[in-house]
Structures are given as structure tokens and as C-alpha cells.
Amino acid sequence: MTDVPTSVQSAADLARRIPKAELHIHIEGSLEPELIFALAQRNGVALTYSSVEALRAAYAFSDLQSFLDIYYAGASVLLHEADFFDMAWAYLQRAHADNVVHTEIFFDPQTHTARGVPMASVILGLKRACDRAQAELGLSSHLILCFLRHLSEEDAFATLEAAIPLREHFIGVGLDSSELGHPPEKFARVFARCRELGLHTVAHAGEEGPPEYIWQALDVLKAERIDHGVRCLEDAALVARLATSRIPLTVCPLSNLKLCVVSSLADHPMKRLLDAGLCATVNSDDPAYFGGYLNENFLQTVHALCLSAADVVQLARNSFEASFVSAERRAEMIRILEQTIVPHQS
Ligand code: ADE
Ligand code: ZN
């Protein structure tokens, strides 16, 4: 067995300990098989898998679409406000255990409204869990409504319309689901309307799709953050644009591995993104499906790429810089980070 260098071990320990923000987590992707089965039983929903073990065994993906097919099937057990609460509360407790102090949570309303679930059940269930996390754990959070890009512009507009009465409960919109063949420009008018409503805008781009999709997310959708974005490295002008504008990338290393975006974590571009001066962050994407929550993503990436303690601190700082929090909350999170790195001498 090869020895792990002390510097890598201490960077990993630091990553585990320090406060962090998570900015790319699909709440439906936090549904663990045990909770899927419990909710299926509670709601009388039939599953095609006979056991938790059989379901987990199906988590072998060859690309994004092969994952999405199972992910949407898993979400079919969510029917009532209490189900959305239970799912989000389980994630928030898990995130707290990883020293996540702030999280911005994606949800996919169309996955649920298409099955007759009211928009209010989705948003109010998630919101109640977020309020409890703030009150009991001191963990702050925001909700981001994502449009499914494999569906039409018309469907996205109808979804936005249905969510407007609940506008106070979410801070922004995103774009997710099958990327190839569904370029950001398909949603130009929807995002323009969202910006008029004062919503923040983010978009998945450059996960499987080409750098051109990242350009479109920036120039057409005016996305304030790019989710994934790892394929930006194929385009030097795009890297320069992202670096000078400090547009953050919410990168998800274990997701990239499980969806075969990279063939091994040792090939992951995270270190190259940091060295290019980009505001890259570490996130878990769909932790129940990809083998780990935020700390697991940090630990495996630190080990695979021999990241330093300075890299780890930079990643945590980036997560606070990239978050949609008030200036006061950002300063507070950076202060806690600094206190954790340099313990008080008494
Ligand atoms: N929905 C959930 N996870 C996703 C991902 N990694 N890419 C696109 N859409 C998603
Ligand atoms: Zn994602």
C-alpha cells in the first residue's frame, strides 16, 4: 500500500473541518434508497425494484441520460408536502454533519407537477425544512427552481407562472436535465422573464455539452453561475472570460466520475480550473446516487489530485464568494472560516 503524503492527509482533514457552502445539489438527488422505499410504502407507490439493495445495485451509469432515467423514477414516490419536507430535512442534517453552513438547493418542479403534485406542496415542504435547519442548526439556505431543458419553452413558462404566487420562497432559477441537443438559447425568453422578476439565474452547461453552451448560458441567459462548466477548458477565450468576470463554476467531482465525464478522479480538471484562476467550487450534485455528500467529494478530490491546504481553503472561500447571500452573511461565513483555520490562542 502506498503512503498518503502528510500534506495531502492534512489538506483532507482541513477539508472535513472547515465551514463550506454547497451551491449545486439537486434535492431529488439526495433521496437515499431507504427513503425511496419508505415513501413508496407510505404513499402506496409501486417500484420496479424489489429491495433497497436491488435499487442501489442499479446505480451504474454510462452517461447523464442513463442516470436521469433512474433519478426521475426515484422521484415518483414524492407526492405530499411532508415527503418534500422529509427529503430536504434529511439532506440538511447530512450537510450540517459535513460543516456546510450555507446551501443553495435545486428542485425540479416539473418532475412533480406533471404527476399532479401541486407546486405549493413542493415548495412549502422544502421551505419548511430550510426554516427548521436555520432555527435548529444555524444552517442557512436558499431554493433555486430548475427548468427541465428536455421539455419545451412553453412548459417552462407554465411552470414559472405556477410558481409566481410562491415567489418569496425561491431566489433564483436554473436549467438542468439532458444537456446535449437542448442548448441554453432554447430558454432565452424564459430567463429574460425571470430576470425581470428579479430572480438570480444559473444554468448547467459544459457538463456533457460543448463550450458553446457555456457561452450561450453567459451571453443569452446571463447566467450568474455555471453549473459544472468543466468543458470550458477546451476554449482558452472562454476560460479568460470566466476568470476576468469571476463567474463561478459549481463543479461536482464524484458526479463527473459516476457519469463518465472523466474516466478517473486523477484526470479531473479541478486543479487545472483553480490554477487558471477560476472561481471553482466543490459540490455533490446528486449525493445519494454518486457515492458521497460534500465532504466525500472534497476528500476524494484532495487525494486524487494531491490538493494542498491552500487549495482547500481557496475552494471554501470560492463557495462563499459564489453564493447568493447578503454581504453580511458572506462576511460572517468568511470570518468563521478564518477562525477555523487559525484557532484562537489564549
Ligand atoms: N439533474 C440532476 N442531476 C443533474 C446533472 N448532473 N445534470 C443535469 N441535470 C441533472
Ligand atoms: Zn446538477
Side-chain angles (χ1 to χ4, degrees):
M1 212 169 88
T2 49
D3 285 336
V4 178
T6 325
S7 60
V8 169
Q9 196 51 57
S10 61
D13 290 342
L14 188 68
R16 199 182 284 114
R17 261 186 327 111
I18 55 174
K20 301 164 284 277
E22 174 149 61
L23 307 174
H24 185 161
I25 157 81
H26 301 262
I27 199 64
E28 294 88 352
S30 73
L31 256 186
E32 293 287 347
E34 289 78 5
L35 189 52
I36 291 180
F37 272 80
L39 293 178
Q41 187 158 40
R42 183 159 101 186
N43 293 333
V45 174
L47 293 171
T48 35
Y49 297 93
S50 58
S51 66
V52 163
E53 293 69 33
L55 177 56
R56 218 176 236 121
Y59 293 178
F61 312 113
S62 51
D63 57 12
L64 176 58
Q65 193 59 50
S66 66
F67 155 69
L68 290 171
D69 294 341
I70 287 195
Y71 162 86
Y72 294 129
S76 70
V77 300
L78 297 160
L79 293 184
H80 307 295
E81 200 232 62
D83 306 335
F84 291 91
F85 170 83
D86 289 345
M87 169 173 65
W89 179 235
Y91 161 69
L92 288 159
Q93 290 174 96
R94 191 64 193 68
H96 178 63
D98 279 1
N99 294 312
V100 172
V101 294
H102 176 76
T103 177
E104 298 186 359
I105 299 176
F106 294 147
F107 64 104
D108 287 341
Q110 286 152 297
T111 306
H112 315 299
T113 53
R115 295 178 291 109
V117 176
M119 181 67 82
S121 302
V122 180
I123 296 183
L124 297 179
L126 299 177
K127 179 71 178 124
R128 194 154 59 82
C130 292
D131 288 347
R132 182 169 174 186
Q134 179 68 71
E136 293 185 17
L137 310 173
L139 167 50
S140 59
S141 55
H142 289 312
L143 296 173
I144 297 180
L145 181 158
C146 285
F147 299 110
L148 299 181
R149 68 202 304 159
H150 69 275
L151 300 179
S152 65
E153 178 197 48
E154 187 189 1
D155 207 309
F157 266 123
T159 302
L160 180 60
E161 211 49 52
I164 284 177
L166 298 146
R167 164 73 184 85
E168 69 190 285
H169 300 305
F170 58 100
I171 52 144
V173 294
L175 187 64
D176 63 2
S177 192
S178 324
E179 187 180 9
L180 290 170
H182 302 285
E185 64 187 5
K186 178 176 167 184
F187 296 93
R189 292 187 298 189
V190 179
F191 271 62
R193 178 75 190 116
C194 291
R195 295 196 309 275
E196 279 172 12
L197 290 167
L199 289 159
H200 285 290
T201 52
V202 300
H204 282 55
E207 177 184 16
E208 287 187 342
E212 169 58 20
Y213 284 19
I214 303 177
W215 284 111
Q216 284 185 20
L218 296 173
D219 293 335
V220 182
L221 303 186
K222 318 272 186 227
E224 298 164 69
R225 293 196 301 243
I226 300 294
D227 298 312
H228 294 291
V230 288
R231 288 194 59 191
C232 72
L233 289 171
E234 296 167 30
D235 181 337
L238 179 55
V239 171
R241 164 79 182 274
L242 292 166
T244 50
S245 60
R246 291 297 287 167
I247 295 276
L249 300 184
T250 64
V251 180
C252 307
L254 288 178
S255 165
N256 295 152
L257 180 65
K258 295 290 154 61
L259 301 187
C260 307
V261 169
V262 294
S263 50
S264 93
L265 268 192
D267 297 329
H268 194 277
M270 180 58 94
K271 180 69 178 153
R272 279 174 280 150
L273 296 170
L274 288 175
D275 290 348
L278 299 185
C279 185
T281 63
V282 176
N283 304 272
S284 68
D285 206 8
D286 300 284
Y289 292 89
F290 299 151
Y293 288 77
L294 191 58
N295 275 358
E296 193 60 29
N297 273 270
F298 264 98
L299 298 184
Q300 292 200 30
T301 308
V302 164
H303 281 283
L305 301 177
C306 292
L307 297 186
S308 65
D311 293 327
V312 165
V313 171
Q314 186 64 53
L315 286 163
R317 271 187 208 288
N318 289 351
S319 75
F320 298 141
E321 178 186 339
S323 65
F324 294 139
V325 292
S326 66
E328 291 74 29
R329 177 67 177 143
R330 182 171 294 112
E332 185 185 19
M333 295 192 295
I334 292 171
R335 197 170 56 246
I336 315 171
L337 173 64
E338 281 164 0
Q339 284 167 353
T340 314
I341 304 165
V342 185
H344 262 333
Q345 308 282 312
S346 57

